[in-house]
Amino acid sequence: MKNSQHLKAYVQMHPDNKMAWYLLGKEYYKNGQHGKANYCFNQAGGVYEAFEHSKVPAEMLREYEEGLLNTARQRHDSKLRRNRVMLALVLLLLLFIPSAVAPEGSTGEPGEPAAANAASGLEDPDVPASTPESAPASEEVKSSQPAAMGFTATGEDAASMGRTLAKTVQSGQDTSRTAILTMKRSGQWLLWKKNLPLAATIEKDKEGKVVYQSYDPAACACTPPEAGGLKKQAGSWQRSQEELAVLSSAIRSYKNSKGALPEALQELTKSFPENILGGTTPLMKKNFAALRAAAAPQPPEATAKPAGPEASAIPAAGQGSGNGAGASGGGKSADQPFFTSPLRIIVDKQKHRLAVISGNIILRNYEVGLGGGRTPEGEFEISDKVVNPNGRDNGEFGSRGMQLSDTNYAIHGTNEPDSIGKDESKGCIRMKREDVEELFAMAPMGTKVEITEGVLPDEPLLPEERFPSSAPENQTNPHKVYHWLD
């Protein structure tokens, strides 16, 4: 079966190698998996016919197969070596942090196997899984969760988890406890889905030692503490981070447009055409001053390189999130959201998708209607945001419109919902009503828009609970009739 696995890996990397398909089919047939064998023989095409009806020496086939297997094994071994190097680097980082020590009962290598396997479920016989003893068994950990809890999110692979673990321990943040959530990867993207899985927590005990707790039973070979309260807090944290990302992006857009920071939140939601934001929330009001201060130029000696969104540790709920989840009251507002890169929009003409992204994280991935070759490719920005472009919410352009760089193209709603996913517009980007209203609320004026092909995943990414999308009536434009190329 190992030969089958290596050959399968090889054909995945080299799908045009018909001989490899043929040899994989032979392996499946030998193992009694005739259905898979027939599929491989079909992929092999003429090679199957040639070798099945010829008298090619068996030794020749074996030599060729061995060559392919050696190549596949080398790739596999190289991948394992990279994982081990990454884990070793994480271990060295943790060893040189004075307060970071191995939990009681662990193997004496603080954080290495538990940190990696909790995130990725890595099945490496040379990298031992953490033992039940590595999970702290004290009543303090298994009791009800304390109020002060920080959150961060990262990729579910070992490398991302390791970097996040090390940076979290090194961060020196005020909170003594941090929960790590994981995002699935799709190609180059990380997916910001609802209810991200809880991978682990890191906390300092009474003696100041760092204790790591995995919440993946398969990875830690343990029974993790009850996590219901943490998961509820994590959901609130995710929602709050979306609102903070929108507000932070709006403050940057205002500064780029006006050359100065807004003095008050109300400056972002003026009447059309000064409506940078579609609307605000209580969380935005609470955090405006802190995010404005974070956007102000910093003296060189006070400027620190921010952690990327894959590995930034966030202040605790009640100390920064502003959502009140698990907060014990009061606390300072957040000075920087989890999403440190401004929100951007990518439109994929090939996939008929429109995504809201920050860095390499996709927050939303909508299905859209386009115009095929009539939809232009390139870089744009939202230059005009209007409610009810046709003077009513069920007109040709729906209930929201966002013009692209003062052109005749726009992202807007439609009164032809059946055209979504098709190339039936004259060049504009059509969206479903609930989608365009959410995008209008999330994408500030000045948001960068890239129209391209073949870069987004097919999987839609839409939450059950949408971003608050109500907009004041003063964001209509009764003095203009729009003639976008719909």
Side-chain angles (χ1 to χ4, degrees):
M1 291 300 291
K2 282 192 174 181
N3 284 354
S4 300
Q5 293 170 359
H6 288 305
L7 285 170
K8 181 179 178 182
Y10 187 92
V11 298
Q12 287 174 339
M13 295 298 299
H14 307 279
D16 295 327
N17 191 319
K18 297 187 181 299
M19 176 62 82
W21 280 108
Y22 172 70
L23 293 172
L24 178 58
K26 296 284 283 185
E27 285 292 327
Y28 279 138
Y29 194 90
K30 184 170 60 178
N31 294 324
Q33 297 175 285
H34 295 169
K36 291 184 177 180
N38 288 334
Y39 175 81
C40 294
F41 291 150
N42 286 333
Q43 298 297 315
V47 170
Y48 171 80
E49 295 294 332
F51 278 83
E52 286 297 304
H53 297 92
S54 64
K55 296 182 179 180
V56 177
E59 291 78 8
M60 183 181 296
L61 281 178
R62 278 198 294 270
E63 283 184 12
Y64 190 90
E65 182 177 14
E66 191 59 31
L68 296 184
L69 289 172
N70 284 336
T71 301
R73 289 189 192 106
Q74 288 170 6
R75 292 184 62 87
H76 178 69
D77 292 341
S78 176
K79 183 178 180 181
L80 289 181
R81 284 194 295 272
R82 286 196 302 270
N83 280 336
R84 291 177 191 134
V85 169
M86 181 59 67
L87 293 174
L89 289 174
V90 172
L91 172 59
L92 288 174
L93 283 172
L94 295 179
L95 284 174
F96 284 99
I97 300 171
S99 62
V101 300
E104 291 184 18
S106 73
T107 60
E109 298 182 355
E112 180 190 1
N117 291 335
S120 66
L122 187 65
E123 296 180 3
D124 181 357
D126 297 321
V127 182
S130 56
T131 64
E133 288 77 20
S134 67
S138 66
E139 291 299 321
E140 181 179 356
V141 174
K142 294 196 175 185
S143 62
S144 59
Q145 306 294 349
M149 171 58 67
F151 289 90
T152 188
T154 186
E156 61 182 355
D157 57 287
S160 297
M161 186 72 177
R163 287 193 298 268
T164 300
L165 175 63
K167 289 185 179 182
T168 301
V169 175
Q170 287 179 306
S171 65
Q173 55 183 330
D174 293 337
T175 180
S176 61
R177 307 187 75 237
T178 300
I180 301 175
L181 311 177
T182 56
M183 295 176 282
K184 287 188 176 181
R185 185 175 293 277
S186 179
Q188 63 178 308
W189 306 106
L190 293 173
L191 305 181
W192 179 260
K193 293 187 175 182
K194 179 182 178 182
N195 297 327
L196 293 176
L198 174 65
T201 56
I202 302 172
E203 66 175 312
K204 292 182 181 179
D205 63 14
K206 293 180 179 179
E207 299 177 358
K209 297 178 181 179
V210 175
V211 180
Y212 173 87
Q213 170 65 59
S214 170
Y215 278 82
D216 183 346
C220 70
C222 66
T223 302
E226 174 59 42
L230 275 181
K231 290 179 180 178
K232 185 176 180 180
Q233 289 187 45
S236 297
W237 175 78
Q238 280 191 251
R239 291 190 294 273
S240 72
Q241 292 310 312
E242 290 184 359
E243 294 183 31
L244 295 178
V246 170
L247 177 57
S248 179
S249 294
I251 292 173
R252 297 187 196 192
S253 292
Y254 185 98
K255 182 181 178 182
N256 291 338
S257 173
K258 307 290 186 181
L261 293 169
E263 295 297 329
L265 184 62
Q266 291 76 10
E267 292 187 44
L268 301 177
T269 55
K270 290 183 177 180
S271 300
F272 177 90
E274 300 295 324
N275 53 325
I276 302 291
L277 265 182
T280 61
T281 67
L283 177 66
M284 292 180 181
K285 294 177 183 178
K286 183 175 181 179
N287 286 275
F288 173 77
L291 292 185
R292 182 188 182 279
Q298 300 293 321
E301 64 273 12
T303 303
K305 184 178 179 180
E310 271 197 48
S312 56
I314 304 303
Q319 291 183 322
S321 71
N323 60 11
S328 56
K332 294 160 61 177
S333 294
D335 58 359
Q336 185 171 333
F338 171 72
F339 296 102
T340 56
S341 297
L343 297 180
R344 296 173 54 237
I345 292 172
I346 292 183
V347 178
D348 190 325
K349 293 174 59 177
Q350 178 183 327
K351 305 289 185 64
H352 289 84
R353 294 289 183 266
L354 182 152
V356 179
I357 69 167
S358 172
N360 68 329
I361 301 176
I362 296 180
L363 287 79
R364 299 288 190 274
N365 196 23
Y366 305 104
E367 185 180 22
V368 295
L370 299 167
R374 294 169 292 190
T375 298
E377 296 184 22
E379 299 280 346
F380 306 87
E381 67 177 42
I382 295 177
S383 59
D384 200 358
K385 294 181 64 175
V386 61
V387 172
N388 299 340
N390 301 115
R392 61 187 193 279
D393 65 359
N394 60 351
E396 181 182 7
F397 301 136
S399 61
R400 302 286 190 274
M402 289 156 277
Q403 191 162 310
L404 301 180
S405 297
D406 300 316
T407 67
N408 281 330
Y409 299 97
I411 303 169
H412 56 69
T414 181
N415 57 3
E416 299 179 20
D418 291 342
S419 66
I420 301 299
K422 303 174 183 176
D423 289 321
E424 295 185 358
S425 80
K426 296 177 182 177
C428 284
I429 300 153
R430 298 178 178 179
M431 301 184 71
K432 298 176 183 176
R433 176 169 182 144
E434 61 271 26
D435 294 346
V436 74
E437 291 183 358
E438 183 177 54
L439 181 65
F440 188 93
M442 293 184 70
M445 187 94 73
T447 298
K448 302 297 182 184
V449 179
E450 179 185 0
I451 303 178
T452 183
E453 290 190 3
V455 296
L456 294 177
D458 290 316
E459 178 185 2
L461 191 56
L462 305 172
E464 295 177 8
E465 184 178 345
R466 295 295 189 125
F467 191 91
S469 59
S470 59
E473 289 298 324
N474 64 1
Q475 296 190 19
T476 60
N477 183 13
H479 306 295
K480 181 177 180 179
V481 176
Y482 287 89
H483 296 288
W484 295 319
L485 295 177
D486 184 55

